[in-house]
């Protein structure tokens, strides 16, 4: 029996929009816990999803399996230019009056 058990985790890259203040706080929290911004976002979402009992109940319903994806997931480099389902057109991504920070949720 091996002494170590290595769990392979599949990571993907996604693009999200945050307000300037939230992006700053993600960076500050990452510095505070000596982790990456990706780790902060990943762990914060996992924490919320695990603690929200109503959400856990929702996940058990058929409706949860029929959601329309809206997260802008980046596929491999060859597919970066292609439009993903649920992705908004680039023209509506942001306006000069609204410039939220973008964070890529990617890991190696």
């Amino acid at each position: 029996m091996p002494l170590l058990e290595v769990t392979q985790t599949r990571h993907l890259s996604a693009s999200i929009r945050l307000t300037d203040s939230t992006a700053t706080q993600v960076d500050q929290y990452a510095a505070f816990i000596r982790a990456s911004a990706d780790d902060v976002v990943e762990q914060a979402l996992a924490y919320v999803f695990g603690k929200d009992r109503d959400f856990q109940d929702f996940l058990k319903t058929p409706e949860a399996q029929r959601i329309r994806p809206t997260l802008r997931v980046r596929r491999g480099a060859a597919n970066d230019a292609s439009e993903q389902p649920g992705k908004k057109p680039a023209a509506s991504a942001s306006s000069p009056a609204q410039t939220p920070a973008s964070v890529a949720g990617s890991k190696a």
Side-chain angles (χ1 to χ4, degrees), residues 75-81:
R75 304 294 175 201
N79 295 334
D80 275 346

Side-chain angles (χ1 to χ4, degrees), residues 18-37:
L18 303 171
T19 62
D20 290 339
S21 62
T22 299
T24 298
Q25 286 185 323
V26 167
D27 285 334
Q28 290 169 329
Y29 199 84
F32 172 65
I33 65 171
R34 292 179 175 83
S36 71

